[in-house]
Amino acid sequence: MTLIEINTPQLLARLRRLALSSQGLLQTQQFGRGLEGARNAISHIGYVQIDTISVVERAHNHILASRVPNFKSSMFNQMLLDGDIFEYWSHAAAYLPIEDFRFSLPYKHAIKSGQVHWFKNPDKKLMSELLARIRSEGPIRSRDLEASKSNRSGWWDWKPAKKALEQLFMQGELMVKDRDGFQKRYDLTERVLPSGINSLAPSIKEFANHLIEQQLRCHGFTSLQGITYLRKNAELRQAVKTIINQGVECGKFEQLKLNDGNIFVSQSGAIDARLPRLSNRLQILSPFDNSVIQRKRLKSLFGFDYQIECYVPAAKRRFGYFSLPLLFRGEFIGRMDCKAHRNNAHLEIKALHLENVDFEQDKLIAAFVAAVGTFTQFQGCDTVALTSVYPKRLSQPFKNTLKALG
């Protein structure tokens, strides 16, 4: 059994690089470019969270744009149509690689059998009628049901019908065929799922092995809690624990202990592997990015205590409604609260909070301005303005340099 104490700044920095490299955040084209790069990125990181908040470009687009040059938001719909990805629930609504389809089946079966409730007391009669309509008339959007709201003689009312549609999706009888804007178009699973995709439900052991492999691939190392993040299946958690313990005992895995006492697991030798060098590129990440979504891991590994505050009452916010994590030279150095005003193509940076300013100031400012320039274009904006900078002593240097982007 190997236990490596991460007790020096050098070892901690190396572990951070392993985590960021595994996430595809150190190299500019690790997954390739454009549509092919997007396919590769999703297959590697395992999922991309879908979120409806549109203060800035939506999370799923932001996550891939952070990893794939020449990514376009239309590529998600193309990948759905091509059968490269599918939409379902991970720890939240997500796009998932189609090769992982079978691992969505346990949750679907649990919902369909009533072991887990998506909606309590689903209207099975209405669900059957909806399935019959889709089978005979083809794909349907929830918007298509709205036309019946004023037709009192119709056999459905919009809200119950929309819930029935979602229930059918969550229990696996429907899949998202494609999207019209943010509207999902549902069709029968057998008509959407590409031929040749394994659709046999995995055993608990197969599911546990899949999660372990996925987490080690996309994070470099993981914890028992991280492997089953937000999954409540006690049998699955026990299977994961058993496999990890056996792997540690036989030397397949090794344990990594941080100064805060947290213990992670990696493939043996992972910390000694060759890793990409750090660059002076600053990255503005989504609050839902795969690299930051496990907040306890983020704090333990990077010392970055991050919370998205759009769900926090305004009076209690410290950093702003939708602050975005900033990554520079292998460290999370702060956060940026901003809003894209699309009516006049202007990006408003309400506040820039820097928490680690040990870097050479000129290099940090240059990297920030370059990142903001790219980010402004990604938002479809032509101009940008910075209101507040903390610590305040950095306010003028940052504002003066950013004015050139104006």
Side-chain angles (χ1 to χ4, degrees):
M1 182 186 300
T2 303
L3 177 66
I4 300 174
E5 300 267 1
I6 307 300
N7 53 11
T8 68
Q10 293 78 12
L11 277 174
L12 181 59
R14 186 161 187 80
L15 199 62
R16 290 171 173 176
R17 278 173 63 199
L18 174 59
L20 296 172
S21 174
S22 300
Q23 274 290 304
L25 291 172
L26 291 189
Q27 295 173 288
T28 56
Q29 296 187 46
Q30 180 170 328
F31 305 114
R33 304 172 66 86
L35 183 60
E36 184 62 25
R39 292 190 190 106
N40 293 338
I42 295 179
S43 288
H44 180 86
I45 63 178
Y47 76 93
V48 173
Q49 184 168 336
I50 302 170
D51 196 79
T52 58
I53 297 174
S54 58
V55 176
V56 292
E57 186 61 60
R58 287 188 170 97
H60 42 287
N61 295 327
H62 191 169
I63 291 165
L64 281 198
S66 297
R67 293 164 171 81
V68 180
N70 292 350
F71 171 77
K72 303 286 189 298
S73 60
S74 60
M75 291 176 183
F76 274 116
N77 203 46
Q78 187 62 55
M79 287 186 286
L80 280 172
L81 288 169
D82 291 345
D84 298 316
I85 61 174
F86 72 106
E87 192 170 323
Y88 195 60
W89 197 260
S90 181
H91 68 270
Y95 292 115
L96 302 146
I98 195 65
E99 59 265 26
D100 290 351
F101 176 79
R102 66 188 300 237
F103 298 105
S104 70
L105 297 177
Y107 193 47
K108 290 173 180 174
H109 292 168
I111 292 173
K112 188 171 184 177
S113 65
Q115 298 171 50
V116 173
H117 294 291
W118 188 253
F119 292 118
K120 287 188 176 180
N121 304 314
D123 189 334
K124 293 185 178 180
K125 180 175 181 294
L126 181 53
M127 288 162 60
S128 295
E129 291 170 338
L130 270 172
L131 277 176
R133 173 176 168 174
I134 294 169
R135 186 169 285 109
S136 64
E137 297 180 18
I140 195 171
R141 302 167 301 174
S142 61
R143 181 190 295 170
D144 298 330
L145 306 177
E146 293 186 46
S148 298
K149 282 197 292 185
S150 59
N151 180 8
R152 295 296 179 186
S153 62
W155 53 260
W156 66 69
D157 171 28
W158 182 66
K159 283 187 179 179
K162 184 173 182 293
K163 287 174 69 173
L165 202 60
E166 290 181 11
Q167 179 75 21
L168 287 166
F169 167 69
M170 289 305 300
Q171 67 185 39
E173 292 177 77
L174 298 179
M175 288 181 71
V176 175
K177 179 180 176 63
D178 61 8
R179 280 177 175 259
D180 177 11
F182 218 68
Q183 275 277 318
K184 293 178 275 193
R185 205 153 64 108
Y186 298 94
D187 200 356
L188 302 177
T189 292
E190 60 262 31
R191 295 203 296 229
V192 176
L193 188 66
S195 61
I197 297 299
N198 189 340
S199 58
L200 293 175
S203 66
I204 286 291
K205 186 176 181 180
E206 285 177 315
F207 198 1
N209 275 314
H210 165 72
L211 291 175
I212 292 167
E213 189 277 332
Q214 179 194 73
Q215 290 295 298
L216 291 176
R217 181 186 69 240
C218 71
H219 287 301
F221 52 93
T222 186
S223 63
L224 290 172
Q225 185 180 36
I227 295 167
T228 54
Y229 179 64
L230 296 185
R231 296 180 187 272
K232 298 177 181 179
N233 186 322
E235 190 180 1
L236 178 63
R237 289 181 177 180
Q238 183 56 51
V240 165
K241 186 176 181 180
T242 298
I243 293 168
I244 289 293
N245 287 342
Q246 290 172 347
V248 170
E249 288 292 335
C250 73
K252 179 181 178 181
F253 303 136
E254 56 193 13
Q255 295 177 306
L256 311 167
K257 185 178 181 182
L258 274 62
N259 282 339
D260 63 1
N262 279 317
I263 294 178
F264 294 92
V265 174
S266 71
Q267 294 279 359
S268 290
I271 197 169
D272 298 318
R274 290 188 65 182
L275 296 170
R277 294 180 179 179
L278 298 175
S279 71
N280 285 325
R281 181 171 61 120
L282 184 144
Q283 288 161 282
I284 302 165
L285 299 180
S286 167
F288 302 104
D289 194 278
N290 301 43
S291 64
V292 302
I293 201 67
Q294 294 184 32
R295 311 298 196 209
K296 289 182 180 178
R297 172 193 169 97
L298 183 66
K299 186 176 181 180
S300 178
L301 180 59
F302 290 95
F304 189 56
D305 191 4
Y306 179 74
Q307 179 186 19
I308 184 171
E309 295 182 336
C310 56
Y311 307 118
V312 174
K316 294 184 178 181
R317 291 177 194 144
R318 297 172 58 204
F319 301 108
Y321 179 82
F322 204 66
S323 66
L324 312 179
L326 303 179
L327 178 65
F328 182 63
R329 293 198 59 80
E331 297 186 37
F332 286 91
I333 62 160
R335 54 203 95 197
M336 181 178 86
D337 183 41
C338 55
K339 178 178 175 64
H341 297 274
R342 296 180 180 86
N343 57 336
N344 60 354
H346 177 70
L347 178 66
E348 175 192 9
I349 303 176
K350 299 180 179 182
L352 171 63
H353 293 266
L354 297 168
E355 299 159 36
N356 185 338
V357 289
D358 294 335
F359 300 102
E360 194 174 322
Q361 184 173 300
D362 289 348
K363 288 183 179 179
L364 177 57
I365 293 174
F368 174 75
V369 170
V372 168
T374 302
F375 190 72
T376 301
Q377 292 176 0
F378 174 55
Q379 303 305 317
C381 293
D382 300 321
T383 60
V384 59
L386 173 59
T387 303
S388 301
V389 180
Y390 305 95
K392 290 185 177 180
R393 62 182 172 81
L394 294 175
S395 183
Q396 276 319 120
F398 271 85
K399 286 184 178 181
N400 290 343
T401 311
L402 195 63
K403 275 183 182 177
L405 293 178

